Amino acid sequence: MKTKICEICSIAADTMFRVQIASGKNWIFVCQSCCEKSKSLTQYKYGGTWKGKRH
Ligand SMILES: [Zn+2]
């Protein structure tokens, strides 16, 4: 199982959300809870879900 580190809170998780939280900035991977919080930002864009678990 692979994990990524959330770029906002630095927690490791096996399901990450690719989001943009500022205009013109790079895409970042964030955990579910940071993704939920980011949804209120006006520049929020969702770019997909990354899963480290193999099915
Ligand atoms: Zn986070």
Side-chain angles (χ1 to χ4, degrees):
M1 189 171 79
K2 291 180 182 174
T3 58
K4 280 187 188 297
I5 304 294
C6 171
E7 295 201 26
I8 295 176
C9 71
S10 298
I11 198 173
D14 63 6
T15 302
M16 300 296 279
F17 300 86
R18 190 167 172 261
V19 299
Q20 244 183 7
I21 55 172
S23 181
K25 294 280 175 73
N26 293 334
W27 291 94
I28 59 170
F29 284 101
V30 299
C31 68
Q32 183 161 19
S33 106
C34 291
C35 180
E36 294 294 325
K37 286 176 204 160
S38 301
K39 282 178 183 169
S40 59
L41 300 171
T42 51
Q43 302 295 342
Y44 170 84
K45 273 187 203 166
Y46 172 74
T49 303
W50 176 88
K51 286 190 172 141
K53 246 177 218 169
R54 300 197 65 180
H55 297 284

